[in-house]
Amino acid sequence: MQERVFPTHSEQQRALWLSTLSFTLCFAVWTIFSIIGITIKDELGLSEFQYGLLIATPVLTGSLTRLILGVWTERFGGRLVFSLQMILTGLATYALTWANSYETFLLAALGVGLAGGSFIIGVAYVSKWFPAEKQGLALGTFGMGNVGAAVTKFLAPFVLIAMGWQGVAEIWAAAIALMGVAFFLLAKDDPDFADRRARGIKAPSLAEQFAPLKNLQVWRFSLYYFFVFGGFVALALWLPHYLVAVYGVDLRTAGMAAAAFSLSASLFRAYGGSLSDRFGARTVMYWTFGFAILFLFMLSYPPTDYVIHGKNGAIAFSTQMDLWPFVGTLFALGFFMSLGKAAIFKHIPVYYPNHVGAVGGLVGMIGGLGGFILPIVFGALLDLTGVYTSCFVLLLLVVLVSLAWMHLSIRAMEREAHGKALDQLPTFPELAEVHTPGKTEMPRVMQDWRPEDPEFWESTGKRIAKRNLWISIPALLLAFAVWMVWSVVIARLPAIGFNFTQDQLFWLAALPALSGATLRIFYSFMVPIFGGRLWTTISTASLLIPAMGIGYAVQNPETPYLIFVVLALLCGLGGGNFSSSMANIGFFFPRSEKGNAMALNAGLGNLGVSLMQFLVPVVITAGVFGALGGQPQQLTDGGQVWMQNAGFVWVPFILMSTVAAWLGMNDIADAKASFREQAVIFTRKHNWIMCLLYTGTFGSFIGYSAAFPMLTKLAFPEVNALQFAFLGPLIGALSRAGSGWLADRVGGGRVTFWVFIGMIASVLVIIQGLSITSFALFFAGFMALFFFSGVGNSSTFQMIPVIMRKEVARIFPQADADERRRHAERESAAIVAFTAAIGGYGGFFIPKAFGSSIHLTGGAEAALVGFLIFYIICIAVTWGIYTRRGGMLHDIEHGRAVTAAPAE
């Protein structure tokens, strides 16, 4: 093999500084709209959203082209691609002077965006000139070209005043086009490309270059870059407008102040590369995210007035960040963002030395898309909230997610590499003196799990399984409480000053069920992928978002309806938890106890609906959180309520449940499976049949839980619906929790058949109660309906493992008993979770059916007749496929099947 000849120091420096100068000019052009865009905004009379779209459009082109430009650089060499890219960018920039409408400006802006693609060309080109131990510093130095944004902010305002925005476009276009020509004449092909061409080796195929993109690590790097680079570009574009609007400075002052941020986020990139070479890119990323959280929290805090009621009277004070502290904080934020940009691209040549173009292109593309998406969202958030600092709140959330993902990924890699050694350590350092490996630690992952082994179950399994069950139940209870909290809240919104129509209120009642059911589809597959312990912790903690959001939104009658729609959808996070919780608990118990365990988990978890409908009407009548909870709302009848407590009351319990899940739950190694392994259920016909039946049982339970208070209020306005609303879900939850043994004993199919008969009878009673205006009949019919739906929830889930054991034995006749058991348990868990997802849509369609029926016919009877027809179909399916003589479950449930196994 021919020995590679390394370039000389002078050749390295020539390539580096030519690339850095070119990238500086490209970046100056790429951010040109941050200055000329303000003048164009005034000329065209653009809204905040239109302005955000205009300044973000070049970023879109620059981002999307990075992936293909990176690939072309690997194929055709950086010298040619970089030169052509700059020349074409110059032509597009000059075309700005011909634009005369908003649409033509957007079209020209797409061409200007080619300037942003220069970054990945330079990374792929420069990295080939330096060995791995010097690439961090080299790429960091190249990345200093970000200072082009500061160049534009320093110089463009003066050119604009002297020559107009057209003069800025003409000068910037000429500069970048001339640089493109100079680069082609002065630069050389990189060593790898020159060596490959000299030896006649073909460029790597697209498939070979794109192969690493399937790695999750690449997408994790992309998220980091979405913040450090996308956030930088977004702020570089947004800050001049922000400074003019918030601090009232002129455009030149705003440009120079914003340039300070661009300078710090660019010039220190070389230093970040040096630090990455010295301390490691991972350490630098921890510094970046940690300090970014601090500075973004400071920037996120809006100007606020406070009044404290002291013993000598009111004490008033206010907080506000003045201009120069604001600029100083931005400078510090930019410094750490520049370190992060260098650290990320230090990773790429190390992990993917032969795929820098493709991997760097994807990372750069996602980061660049941040520069496109974020300014648009900044404008939308400003229009929506009216708070200028909302842009920094969004960036803070991105950083928190990035830091959490990075840390958890690092911990996972450490455990994979040093798992046995880590298991020898105590949970906390202060326990070192009393720690005995193998005895005093609680293993998080159960490598040996044999619940069907009686000796293992009695000595070890039962204790662990029950602990996970009793931690899971309150977490699921809270999930249901948050999911269905709208059913109580919306009934009070008109009384506290919200002018929403009946149709809007029914939409708010239905949307949590819609999002919850949709999320269940995704949650169905999460436990085998991430593990029950981690996923239960994350999914429980996510409930804090809607709980706290509700608490703030209901305090102001001017809160837009859109905010309530978003919060209603976020309440669906609670609905999604059911699928993952049921799949997780099913893995822990033996077949003989599985049905009862899942019934307890689901039934007592369903109590969250009843608990919420009982507790919320109580806590909203008093300021239980004092001054922290906010002021009460005045009712139209002269009274007052603390409606915010409907959300705030769950926060402390969610925090406790999250901690309990993280510290007390376990993962089962055998339960781990990829999405591909679980996706086989989509080819199983019984998966879809059970989706139909579970929609009839659980869909009814959750749908009627959401609709019952509003329907009662409309049909019987003289009745205080909130006094009775909790009883239905309470009966349904208790009947589910208490009937698991019945399905285990006589068979889930037979119980399900009679459940639908009972539900039909209950609906007929409700229709009769409405026709004669009898609240007693109406109420009795609904309570019976809740009872039967609860029993059916338990019995349908009992059917699934029994069906799949028989089906797996048919599909895999050659497999041994242990292999068939693993197949059956894995598919059963996935089907349980997926049917729960589909069944959850009943919570959307039932309230909407009632709302549509009332809107079209003036009453709810038409919807109830539709439900009757659906229950008749469910009876026919249950009997025809499962319970009739010759049906799939007939012999098993009558004790005649040789292969019968204990009901799960």
Side-chain angles (χ1 to χ4, degrees):
M1 181 177 179
Q2 183 177 338
E3 184 178 354
R4 177 178 174 180
V5 179
F6 287 94
T8 65
H9 178 74
S10 61
E11 289 175 328
Q12 291 175 334
Q13 295 303 306
R14 179 176 183 170
L16 175 60
W17 291 108
L18 274 174
S19 300
T20 302
L21 178 59
S22 299
F23 182 47
T24 302
L25 288 175
C26 286
F27 217 90
V29 172
W30 202 28
T31 56
I32 192 173
F33 278 99
S34 63
I35 299 300
I36 70 172
I38 297 175
T39 303
I40 296 171
K41 176 179 183 290
D42 294 336
E43 288 183 3
L44 299 180
L46 305 180
S47 68
E48 298 290 349
F49 177 79
Q50 288 175 316
Y51 171 72
L53 180 60
L54 177 64
I55 65 175
T57 296
V59 184
L60 175 64
T61 313
S63 304
L64 295 179
T65 57
R66 285 186 171 192
L67 184 59
I68 191 62
L69 286 174
V71 172
W72 282 351
T73 302
E74 296 283 353
R75 179 174 290 243
F76 301 112
R79 173 172 168 261
L80 176 63
V81 176
F82 213 158
S83 301
L84 288 176
Q85 176 263 339
M86 285 188 279
I87 293 170
L88 291 174
T89 299
L91 294 175
T93 305
Y94 186 76
L96 277 174
T97 60
W98 301 336
N100 55 16
S101 66
Y102 182 60
E103 291 74 17
T104 54
F105 273 111
L106 287 177
L107 184 62
L110 287 171
V112 172
L114 284 172
S118 59
F119 175 71
I120 190 53
I121 303 173
V123 167
Y125 179 72
V126 170
S127 65
K128 301 298 176 61
W129 290 91
F130 293 86
E133 64 273 12
K134 294 184 179 180
Q135 284 177 344
L137 177 59
L139 292 176
T141 302
F142 167 74
M144 287 170 55
N146 288 164
V147 77
V151 171
T152 291
K153 290 180 179 64
F154 271 126
L155 299 180
F158 298 99
V159 178
L160 185 147
I161 292 172
M163 303 175 60
W165 69 262
Q166 292 89 346
V168 178
E170 290 168 353
I171 293 174
W172 266 236
I176 194 172
L178 289 174
M179 189 65 218
V181 175
F183 190 89
F184 184 78
L185 296 175
L186 300 176
K188 294 182 178 181
D189 289 325
D190 68 78
D192 283 3
F193 178 78
D195 179 64
R196 193 174 69 228
R197 187 173 58 181
R199 297 163 58 191
I201 300 175
K202 291 184 178 180
S205 66
L206 289 178
E208 290 173 331
Q209 293 189 63
F210 287 143
L213 303 191
K214 66 183 179 181
N215 297 336
L216 186 62
Q217 181 189 52
V218 175
W219 297 92
R220 181 158 51 85
F221 291 163
S222 299
L223 177 62
Y224 305 163
Y225 208 62
F226 183 88
F227 166 67
V228 295
F229 180 75
F232 157 66
V233 173
L235 288 177
L237 296 170
W238 186 257
L239 279 174
H241 172 60
Y242 182 98
L243 289 162
V244 170
V246 174
Y247 293 103
V249 298
D250 60 38
L251 186 57
R252 285 175 294 180
T253 304
M256 288 188 287
F261 166 74
S262 298
L263 278 172
S264 67
S266 306
L267 290 179
F268 296 105
R269 190 161 181 168
Y271 183 54
S274 177
L275 291 175
S276 298
D277 287 338
R278 182 177 179 185
F279 298 104
R282 180 182 299 172
T283 300
V284 175
M285 288 308 302
Y286 271 116
W287 297 345
T288 296
F289 288 145
F291 280 99
I293 288 172
L294 172 63
F295 295 132
L296 284 171
F297 178 79
M298 295 166 60
L299 294 167
S300 298
Y301 211 86
T304 308
D305 295 321
Y306 295 92
V307 177
I308 297 176
H309 299 282
K311 70 172 185 176
N312 297 321
I315 303 171
F317 66 95
S318 62
T319 62
Q320 180 176 347
M321 184 176 286
D322 292 330
L323 175 61
W324 296 115
F326 176 82
V327 174
T329 305
L330 275 175
F331 187 89
L333 175 65
F335 170 77
F336 284 99
M337 292 175 82
S338 68
L339 301 188
K341 284 185 281 188
I344 292 168
F345 273 88
K346 165 66 176 177
H347 277 304
I348 293 173
V350 173
Y351 283 102
Y352 306 99
N354 298 320
H355 302 86
V356 174
V359 174
L362 176 70
V363 173
M365 182 184 75
I366 299 298
L369 284 175
F372 168 73
I373 295 169
L374 289 172
I376 298 175
V377 180
F378 289 169
L381 282 175
L382 180 57
D383 288 339
L384 187 63
T385 67
V387 179
Y388 274 99
T389 59
S390 57
C391 59
F392 298 112
V393 175
L394 177 62
L395 291 176
L396 178 60
L397 292 175
V398 174
V399 176
L400 289 171
V401 172
S402 300
L403 177 60
W405 192 6
M406 182 179 77
H407 183 68
L408 291 174
S409 298
I410 291 170
R411 294 291 305 200
M413 288 188 289
E414 289 174 347
R415 176 154 291 280
E416 184 176 351
H418 308 290
K420 293 183 179 180
L422 292 175
D423 289 338
Q424 301 298 312
L425 299 176
T427 305
F428 300 103
E430 55 268 27
L431 298 179
E433 295 182 2
V434 297
H435 177 70
T436 303
K439 293 184 178 180
T440 55
E441 83 271 9
M442 185 177 73
R444 301 302 184 189
V445 180
M446 309 304 299
Q447 299 292 343
D448 179 27
W449 189 252
R450 294 171 283 112
E452 302 298 339
D453 181 343
E455 183 177 348
F456 172 85
W457 177 248
E458 290 299 327
S459 64
T460 304
K462 181 186 291 186
R463 171 178 53 83
I464 295 173
K466 288 189 174 180
R467 183 182 68 240
N468 281 267
L469 174 62
W470 292 112
I471 293 175
S472 174
I473 286 172
L476 187 56
L477 182 146
L478 290 168
F480 269 95
V482 171
W483 191 23
M484 299 307 296
V485 72
W486 274 137
S487 64
V488 171
V489 170
I490 62 170
R492 290 285 191 140
L493 290 180
I496 59 175
F498 289 89
N499 298 317
F500 298 151
T501 65
Q502 286 296 331
D503 189 56
Q504 287 177 315
L505 291 175
F506 268 110
W507 266 109
L508 289 181
L511 284 175
L514 177 63
S515 62
T518 303
L519 286 172
R520 283 184 173 195
I521 296 175
F522 299 99
Y523 279 40
S524 300
F525 306 101
M526 293 298 105
V527 168
I529 295 174
F530 291 98
R533 171 175 170 257
L534 175 60
W535 189 252
T536 302
T537 302
I538 293 174
S539 60
T540 302
S542 71
L543 302 176
L544 291 169
I545 301 172
M548 298 182 71
I550 291 167
Y552 289 112
V554 298
Q555 296 186 52
N556 183 4
E558 300 300 321
T559 302
Y561 180 71
L562 178 60
I563 295 293
F564 281 93
V565 169
V566 172
L567 287 171
L569 291 170
L570 287 173
C571 283
L573 292 169
N577 288 14
F578 181 78
S579 285
S580 56
S581 178
M582 293 299 287
N584 183 45
I585 291 303
F587 284 115
F588 280 94
F589 288 84
R591 291 196 298 266
S592 58
E593 299 187 32
K594 198 183 295 286
N596 189 52
M598 290 198 297
L600 285 171
N601 188 55
L604 297 180
N606 289 167
L607 278 176
V609 181
S610 179
L611 175 66
M612 179 276 300
Q613 292 179 334
F614 172 78
L615 184 61
V616 168
V618 175
V619 298
I620 64 176
T621 61
V624 293
F625 295 100
L628 293 175
Q631 298 299 312
Q633 297 85 50
Q634 299 299 317
L635 295 172
T636 53
D637 61 5
Q640 61 181 19
V641 293
W642 284 260
M643 206 63 189
Q644 59 268 33
N645 293 349
F648 289 156
V649 69
W650 308 109
V651 170
F653 300 106
I654 293 171
L655 290 172
M656 288 188 289
S657 186
T658 299
V659 173
W662 181 250
L663 296 179
M665 296 190 78
N666 302 91
D667 295 323
I668 298 176
D670 283 348
K672 289 295 185 78
S674 67
F675 172 78
R676 183 176 182 179
E677 291 173 314
Q678 299 176 77
V680 69
I681 67 169
F682 297 126
T683 65
R684 309 291 190 235
K685 70 174 183 179
H686 294 286
N687 173 51
W688 302 104
I689 296 171
M690 294 310 300
C691 284
L692 173 74
L693 300 184
Y694 195 66
T695 300
T697 56
F698 178 78
S700 297
F701 168 80
I702 202 67
Y704 295 137
S705 296
F708 178 61
M710 184 65 68
L711 188 61
T712 303
K713 182 178 180 181
L714 293 176
F716 302 94
E718 72 282 0
V719 176
N720 184 352
L722 295 184
Q723 290 183 340
F724 303 99
F726 74 95
L727 289 174
L730 174 64
I731 291 172
L734 292 178
S735 66
R736 179 172 194 165
S739 62
W741 63 271
L742 179 64
D744 280 340
R745 177 169 296 182
V746 304
R750 286 197 285 179
V751 173
T752 301
F753 177 83
W754 289 103
V755 157
F756 284 120
I757 291 179
M759 293 176 74
I760 289 173
S762 302
V763 172
L764 291 173
V765 172
I766 295 170
I767 294 174
Q768 180 65 19
L770 288 172
S771 65
I772 65 175
T773 320
S774 169
F775 177 72
L777 274 180
F778 173 86
F779 182 76
F782 259 112
M783 294 306 103
L785 193 55
F786 277 113
F787 171 81
F788 286 116
S789 68
V791 176
N793 291 339
S794 175
S795 64
T796 47
F797 268 8
Q798 190 275 346
M799 294 168 64
I800 293 171
V802 181
I803 292 170
M804 291 315 299
R805 284 202 307 277
K806 188 171 182 178
E807 188 71 356
V808 165
R810 180 187 66 81
I811 297 172
F812 303 104
Q814 305 302 321
D816 59 37
D818 190 56
E819 186 178 353
R820 287 201 301 269
R821 176 190 62 80
R822 287 197 300 271
H823 270 293
E825 289 184 354
R826 183 179 298 163
E827 292 191 27
S828 296
I831 292 174
V832 163
F834 185 74
T835 54
I838 301 302
Y841 281 107
F844 169 75
F845 287 111
I846 287 179
K848 279 303 298 173
F850 280 129
S852 300
S853 177
I854 293 170
H855 176 71
L856 296 174
T857 67
E861 290 83 352
L864 290 166
V865 171
F867 302 150
L868 276 178
I869 296 172
F870 180 71
Y871 296 149
I872 292 171
I873 294 172
C874 291
I875 287 177
V877 169
T878 305
W879 181 83
I881 298 177
Y882 297 118
T883 62
R884 65 176 176 83
R885 186 178 296 277
M888 187 176 190
L889 299 180
H890 181 273
D891 289 347
I892 294 176
E893 294 187 348
H894 287 79
R896 300 172 186 169
V898 176
T899 59
E904 295 185 15

